[in-house]
């Protein structure tokens, strides 16, 4: 095929001769020489400049793209990249991601007037600022200057221009005209997506894939592949579809289970009704890790030998979202105090409760809000802590132990279907030796017996000093996990 292509090009170059008025004859000849020498990479670099005007150059580009596979951008040094850019090889921009390009030629008096008009409007018009950025990027009408391009993209992005945010995201990711900053690139890509840029789905997805965050990469490729038209943008659609297939191969079974139910909250504004159908998109729920969370300091094995020795695989619990009021008031008495166990609303707590194996655990939680809710599974043992002041009575003054009646709370259980069984006793854990008679952590243990819903209420009791005690309600939704393999 290669020999045939070379011979055919000789013929084509005779049919479509280059003229001095149309193109730089010497550069075109260098492209011919590179192609005939079998150096497709160099031929591509040169002939891409002429493919729109010269059918023979377009032919070389098509042949070389087939013969020269697109290189892997991972590991390309910044110095080589900048060297190629300074030589005028802007094809690297298209290989590193998807961004808008300025392809029209402008020259003469009308071109100068066009540039001047854009420059004058750039401060107040984000589209003009973006177009000026493209001119500086491409070196059209002005001298190529990536730093100036980044400045104009930044000005347009600040005013919400989606394409500018996407281009600037690439600049920050690869250090084009600005200092490399992956976090800034991520922020800009997200901003571009939320403002309607379809290319940023690929750019951010590829960035996540390079970081081996294949779950988020797949989510973005899955949304982006439906937003790039395969008829009008065939090459770009192929690239994002390839990213989708690549990342899918790297998803763990656990992550695939997550994807059946959930999506990241930040993407909700750009998802269609069909895309959101049958999915929970929850602000408080973190992204699922690659593997299930087996154990944490507050969620521990009941029988670890069963997990290690008896079974090879436990299914993930992965329940549907249990809603709670994230704006519910916090207990002000907890300020400055170190809780004995995490709060239900913390990100790490939610991750452990949702992304865990479906076998029973000991779970310990401290209530902070007036209203909270958690998922548990049948077989779990749940210990709940609340902060309470302590009050002396005649018995304790004579050396007797303090009990529930010495706290500020009554414990009520709404449990019509016998989902929970409460332990008979409560425990009081001092915060310090100095305050052991004045304040304590009050805890009570519950056993999850059946599927269903129950409420654990810590309600105020009348206190000797008339102090108002902060009430807590914890909603429990119990699920029965699949049996292990």
């Amino acid at each position: 095929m290669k020999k045939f292509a070379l011979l055919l090009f000789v013929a084509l170059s005779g049919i479509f001769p280059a003229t001095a008025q149309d193109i730089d004859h010497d550069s075109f000849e260098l492209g011919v020489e590179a192609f005939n020498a079998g150096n497709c990479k160099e031929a591509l670099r040169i002939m891409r400049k002429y493919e729109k005007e010269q059918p023979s150059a377009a032919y070389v580009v098509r042949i070389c793209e087939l013969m020269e596979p697109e290189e892997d951008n991972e590991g390309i040094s910044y110095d080589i990249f900048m060297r190629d850019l300074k030589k005028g090889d802007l094809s690297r921009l298209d290989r590193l991601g998807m961004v808008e390009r300025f392809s029209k030629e402008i020259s003469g008096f009308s071109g100068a007037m066009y540039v001047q008009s854009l420059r004058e409007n750039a401060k107040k018009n984000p589209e003009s600022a973006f177009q000026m950025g493209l001119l500086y990027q491409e070196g059209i009408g002005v001298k190529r200057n990536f730093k100036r391009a980044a400045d104009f993209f930044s000005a347009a992005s600040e005013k919400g221009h989606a394409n500018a945010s996407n281009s600037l995201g690439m600049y920050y990711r690869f250090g084009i005209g600005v200092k490399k900053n992956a976090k800034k690139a991520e922020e800009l890509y997200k901003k571009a997506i939320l403002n309607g840029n379809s290319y940023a789905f690929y750019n951010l997805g590829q960035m996540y894939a390079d970081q081996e965050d294949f779950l988020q990469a797949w989510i973005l490729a899955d949304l982006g592949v439906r937003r790039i038209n395969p008829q009008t943008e065939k090459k770009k659609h192929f690239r994002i579809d390839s990213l989708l297939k690549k990342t899918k191969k790297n998803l763990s079974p656990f992550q695939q289970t997550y994807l059946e139910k959930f999506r990241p909250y930040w993407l909700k504004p750009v998802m269609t009704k069909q895309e959101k159908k049958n999915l929970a998109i929850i602000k408080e729920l973190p992204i699922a890790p690659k593997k299930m969370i087996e154990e944490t300091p507050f969620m521990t094995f009941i029988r670890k030998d069963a997990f290690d020795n008896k079974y090879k695989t436990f299914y993930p619990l992965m329940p549907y979202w249990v809603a709670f009021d994230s704006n519910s008031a916090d207990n002000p008495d907890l300020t400055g105090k170190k809780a004995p166990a995490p709060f239900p609303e913390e990100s790490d707590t939610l991750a452990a409760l949702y992304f865990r194996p479906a076998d029973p655990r000991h779970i310990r939680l401290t209530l902070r809000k007036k209203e909270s809710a958690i998922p548990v599974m049948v077989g779990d043992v749940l210990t709940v802590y609340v902060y309470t002041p302590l009050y002396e009575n005649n018995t304790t003054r004579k050396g007797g132990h303090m009990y529930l009646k010495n706290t500020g709370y009554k414990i009520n259980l709404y449990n019509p279907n016998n989902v929970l069984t409460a332990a008979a006793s409560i425990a009081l854990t001092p915060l310090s030796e100095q305050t052991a008679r004045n304040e304590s952590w009050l805890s009570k243990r519950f056993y999850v017996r059946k599927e269903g819903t129950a409420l654990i209420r810590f309600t105020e009791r009348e206190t000797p000093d008339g102090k108002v005690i902060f009430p807590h309600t914890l909603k429990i939704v119990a699920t029965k996990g699949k049996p292990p393999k």
Side-chain angles (χ1 to χ4, degrees):
M1 176 183 176
K2 188 171 183 180
K3 185 175 181 182
F4 169 76
L6 296 177
L7 292 173
L8 186 56
F9 176 68
V10 172
L12 285 172
S13 59
I15 297 172
F16 301 101
T19 63
Q21 313 82 295
D22 296 331
I23 59 174
D24 184 336
H25 185 73
D26 290 338
S27 294
F28 185 81
E29 288 299 320
L30 286 175
V32 173
E33 290 176 11
F35 183 75
N36 286 330
N39 188 348
C40 263
K41 184 176 180 180
E42 183 67 9
L44 273 172
R45 185 186 74 79
I46 295 171
M47 290 307 197
R48 279 200 174 106
K49 299 177 184 180
Y50 308 112
E51 60 179 319
K52 290 186 177 179
E53 294 83 9
Q54 278 286 351
S56 50
Y59 171 80
V60 171
V61 170
R62 288 196 302 272
I63 294 297
C64 279
E65 284 179 340
L66 291 173
M67 297 170 62
E68 184 81 4
E70 189 154 326
E71 62 191 275
D72 186 356
N73 293 306
E74 295 181 23
I76 294 175
S77 76
Y78 177 66
D79 291 339
I80 293 175
F81 174 53
M82 291 305 295
R83 183 198 67 193
D84 290 347
L85 282 181
K86 287 177 181 177
K87 284 183 177 180
D89 180 10
L90 297 184
S91 65
R92 183 75 71 198
L93 289 173
D94 296 320
R95 292 193 176 195
L96 291 178
M98 295 184 192
V99 291
E100 295 290 337
R101 302 290 302 277
F102 194 104
S103 57
K104 294 184 294 184
E105 290 290 340
I106 58 174
S107 61
F109 179 77
S110 60
M113 292 296 293
Y114 175 72
V115 173
Q116 183 61 25
S117 174
L118 286 180
R119 199 185 300 277
E120 290 173 355
N121 292 324
K123 288 186 178 180
K124 57 185 177 181
N125 186 323
E127 178 59 24
S128 295
F130 175 62
Q131 293 298 325
M132 275 304 302
L134 291 181
L135 292 181
Y136 275 108
Q137 172 183 281
E138 307 292 331
I140 297 175
V142 294
K143 187 176 180 180
R144 182 176 293 113
N145 187 320
F146 294 113
K147 185 179 183 304
R148 292 289 288 144
D151 290 340
F152 279 108
F153 288 153
S154 180
S157 175
E158 287 174 5
K159 292 182 172 63
H161 196 286
N163 291 341
S165 297
N166 179 53
S167 292
L168 190 60
M170 178 181 283
Y171 274 42
Y172 272 103
R173 184 184 174 195
F174 295 104
I176 307 170
V178 294
K179 188 176 180 180
K180 282 185 183 181
N181 188 326
K183 185 176 180 181
K184 182 72 174 175
E186 181 181 26
E187 291 172 358
L188 286 161
Y189 284 147
K190 285 185 175 182
K191 184 177 181 180
I193 287 169
L194 294 175
N195 284 326
N197 183 281
S198 57
Y199 294 166
F201 285 97
Y202 173 83
N203 292 331
L204 183 55
Q206 186 62 62
M207 181 176 171
Y208 284 142
D210 290 346
Q211 297 168 355
E212 297 189 356
D213 185 350
F214 297 111
L215 177 65
Q216 293 200 82
W218 185 92
I219 290 169
L220 288 161
D222 177 59
L223 292 173
V225 78
R226 293 192 286 272
R227 287 160 172 78
I228 295 177
N229 192 318
Q231 270 71 48
T232 59
E233 297 185 284
K234 186 175 182 180
K235 209 169 182 180
K236 289 182 169 65
H237 187 273
F238 175 80
R239 291 178 73 186
I240 196 166
D241 189 54
S242 298
L243 177 63
L244 182 67
K245 292 172 182 174
K246 170 189 170 184
T247 53
K248 186 175 183 179
K249 292 177 182 177
N250 287 281
L251 292 175
S252 70
F254 178 71
Q255 290 173 327
Q256 292 176 29
T257 304
Y258 165 88
L259 291 170
E260 291 174 4
K261 294 186 178 183
F262 301 111
R263 288 293 183 276
Y265 182 78
W266 75 271
L267 284 166
K268 188 174 184 178
V270 297
M271 292 176 64
T272 65
K273 287 184 179 180
Q274 186 61 34
E275 288 168 340
K276 290 185 281 191
K277 189 178 180 181
N278 301 323
L279 291 170
I281 308 173
I282 309 301
K283 185 176 183 179
E284 295 83 6
L285 188 67
I287 297 290
K290 190 163 188 176
K291 295 181 180 179
M292 291 180 283
I293 299 174
E294 295 179 10
E295 190 171 20
T296 73
F298 72 92
M299 187 182 77
T300 56
F301 291 96
I302 291 178
R303 294 185 305 276
K304 189 167 184 176
D305 61 329
F307 188 91
D308 286 345
N309 302 324
K310 189 175 181 182
Y311 301 114
K312 289 184 178 180
T313 304
F314 279 89
Y315 288 97
L317 181 61
M318 203 75 75
Y320 284 98
W321 179 250
V322 179
F324 64 92
D325 183 4
S326 59
N327 296 317
S328 178
D330 289 348
N331 185 352
D333 291 332
L334 288 176
T335 303
K337 297 179 175 67
K338 184 178 180 180
F343 303 120
E345 305 80 18
E346 291 179 4
S347 179
D348 289 346
T349 310
L350 289 171
L353 291 173
Y354 280 88
F355 308 143
R356 52 171 279 197
D359 69 315
R361 294 287 195 272
H362 283 292
I363 301 171
R364 298 163 54 247
L365 296 172
T366 303
L367 300 189
R368 173 178 60 183
K369 291 184 173 291
K370 185 173 286 187
E371 296 178 4
S372 306
I374 60 168
V376 294
M377 74 159 288
V378 175
D380 282 344
V381 178
L382 174 66
T383 301
V384 181
Y385 295 82
V386 296
Y387 169 81
T388 180
L390 296 177
Y391 302 94
E392 301 276 8
N393 57 26
N394 290 335
T395 303
T396 59
R397 290 188 188 99
K398 295 176 183 178
H401 292 292
M402 289 190 174
Y403 294 99
L404 183 62
K405 62 185 178 182
N406 299 101
T407 73
Y409 288 107
K410 295 181 285 186
I411 302 176
N412 300 314
L413 183 59
Y414 177 76
N415 189 30
N417 297 315
N418 297 316
V419 172
L420 301 179
T421 300
S425 60
I426 59 104
L428 295 173
T429 306
L431 276 71
S432 68
E433 291 184 11
Q434 294 77 16
T435 63
R437 308 296 292 182
N438 301 319
E439 61 181 352
S440 180
W441 297 108
L442 163 65
S443 62
K444 189 164 182 68
R445 180 170 289 184
F446 300 88
Y447 301 91
V448 183
R449 302 299 189 192
K450 294 170 60 179
E451 291 185 277
T453 302
L455 298 177
I456 303 170
R457 292 193 177 103
F458 290 82
T459 58
E460 316 96 307
R461 71 166 60 247
E462 188 175 344
T463 60
D465 59 5
K467 181 179 179 180
V468 176
I469 304 298
F470 193 89
H472 296 280
T473 298
L474 178 64
K475 180 181 178 181
I476 302 292
V477 178
T479 309
K480 189 173 182 180
K482 290 183 179 180
K485 294 180 182 178

